[in-house]
Amino acid sequence: MSDLIRSVVVGAGMIGAVHAAAIRAAGGELAGVVASTPERGARTAEEWQVPGRYPHLDAVLDDDSVSVVHVCTPNALHVRQAEAALAAGKHVVCEKPLAISAAEAERLTRLAEESGLVLAVPFVYRYHPLVREIRDRRLRGEFGAWQLIHGSYLQDWMLAEDAMSWRVDPSQGGPSRAFADIGSHWCDLVEWVAGVRFTELTARLGTTVPTRPAGTGASFTATTGGPRAEVRTEDVATVLLRTGDGVLGTLTVSQVSAGRKNRLWFELDGAAASAVFDQENPETAWLGAPDGARVLFRDPNHGSAEQRRLSRLPAGHAQGYADCFTSFVADAYAAVRGATPEGLPTGADGVRSARIVEAVLTSSASLTWTDVAAAPVPVAP
């Protein structure tokens, strides 16, 4: 295999553009883009300065020079498109959720494993250098036994009554919106950093904006005076979790919290020390001890090997979300070449996430504690 990896992005929205930039930054070749129509695909290819023209996914699958397909389409399309790419012998980077049901996520992951192909899922917050630093300190026993785990993931992009997105429609986004979209990120990150598994939970979901403009449209659009439709997915969620060791955790999720743009925040409280990370301020982490607290700054000259590896810039030169994506894609491509990068989220992590989402939906509907592993598949509203 050539060292140069040629990739195509399927999906021309915001997250597709993020993938396209990360492919190039990670040293891959962006060979083309597939959009909802050939015409939009051609326009996007010109905007992204992509040489190739692929009118549809089948054209990509027939191109033997393309080795990786990035699936960045609405959630309901993920399984079909990723499955087709794997069946054609392509490695796949598939946006989360991997599928809108755990059963589909499991089937897709089995196909990748049986084919010997990489299936990576962008739980990219694992790639903040200070997240790796906190995880390394946990592995070295710095925090002691966990006493409490808590946090939130807050946004405001759906606060306006006229805000609309395809994610609101269960037929495109799945039966969960806020939790599946962002709560899933928090759960993946905290389980991986803290080294825990949430085995049961009780959840409540809420819809604060009862109707929104009819139609699915693009994200962040707003219209007035037109027909409106009932909202059948949640704006907010609260979850009480318990780990296999009996440690309690709490999580608040919102897409309607004014002023919060993308605030993923967690605190891990141990018997010896605590740690806090805030994704909107990723250059620092807070470390607490009985005799005081201190703020740790990202620095490629200090700290764990993984923090140093992922620090792409000198201390004091801010890194952020885009750098996480670049590091994630670089690790995914390293896996394509046969390496085993630490912390690369794969299909198994996508399955895990789907199981937690289903447990949240089941618990909210039944008002009971729900076992994550045994959660049944809920019926979409």
Side-chain angles (χ1 to χ4, degrees), residues 55-310:
H56 43 68
L57 179 59
D58 287 344
V60 176
L61 304 185
D62 289 338
D63 186 348
D64 292 338
S65 72
V66 173
S67 54
V68 182
V69 173
H70 289 243
V71 177
C72 306
T73 52
N75 302 343
L77 300 176
H78 288 181
V79 168
R80 176 172 61 82
Q81 293 174 336
E83 199 166 33
L86 290 169
K90 313 293 187 187
H91 302 278
V92 171
V93 175
C94 182
E95 264 300 325
K96 35 72 45 192
L98 185 57
I100 57 176
S101 76
E104 287 186 325
E106 289 167 0
R107 188 182 79 242
L108 193 62
T109 300
R110 280 197 303 271
L111 176 59
E113 291 172 348
E114 292 168 358
S115 305
L117 295 167
V118 171
L119 173 59
V121 183
F123 287 114
V124 296
Y125 298 119
R126 293 185 183 193
Y127 282 86
H128 280 297
L130 287 180
V131 161
R132 300 283 173 132
E133 181 67 25
I134 293 171
R135 182 173 185 268
D136 181 76
R137 290 168 181 258
R138 185 265 300 174
L139 289 169
R140 291 188 281 114
E142 183 172 313
F143 302 110
W146 297 126
Q147 311 296 294
L148 181 67
I149 296 170
H150 51 114
S152 60
Y153 198 154
L154 309 176
Q155 298 176 333
D156 71 356
W157 67 286
M158 294 299 291
L159 179 61
E161 291 187 353
D162 289 330
M164 191 52 184
S165 165
W166 59 262
R167 295 180 184 276
V168 175
D169 182 357
S171 69
Q172 295 194 62
S176 170
R177 175 174 28 105
F179 187 85
D181 187 21
I182 59 178
S184 59
H185 268 298
W186 188 94
C187 289
D188 173 82
L189 185 64
V190 167
E191 285 195 330
W192 187 71
V193 172
V196 300
R197 278 291 182 266
F198 297 122
T199 56
E200 55 182 340
L201 57 82
T202 183
R204 301 295 181 270
L205 305 180
T207 302
T208 64
V209 181
T211 66
R212 294 189 184 273
T216 54
S219 300
F220 307 108
T221 59
T223 59
T224 57
R228 301 182 71 84
E230 178 188 1
V231 175
R232 295 179 291 156
T233 53
E234 77 278 2
D235 294 308
V236 297
T238 58
V239 189
L240 178 62
L241 308 114
R242 189 154 47 206
T243 73
D245 295 328
V247 180
L248 291 178
T250 62
L251 168 61
T252 301
V253 174
S254 170
Q255 292 180 329
V256 290
S257 293
R260 296 299 189 186
K261 301 306 176 183
N262 197 41
R263 188 177 187 263
L264 186 162
W265 181 95
F266 68 74
E267 178 165 337
L268 310 175
D269 296 330
S274 300
V276 171
F277 180 76
D278 179 356
Q279 199 280 145
E280 286 190 335
N281 296 285
E283 290 287 271
T284 62
W286 181 92
L287 300 177
D291 60 351
R294 66 190 180 102
V295 175
L296 183 69
F297 287 82
R298 180 189 64 79
D299 189 340
N301 296 316
H302 299 90
S304 67
E306 279 294 287
Q307 191 235 148
R308 297 180 186 213
R309 178 176 79 90
L310 297 177

Side-chain angles (χ1 to χ4, degrees), residues 30-45:
L30 180 59
V33 56
V34 176
S36 53
T37 66
E39 292 76 20
R40 187 184 179 196
R43 290 196 303 272
T44 303

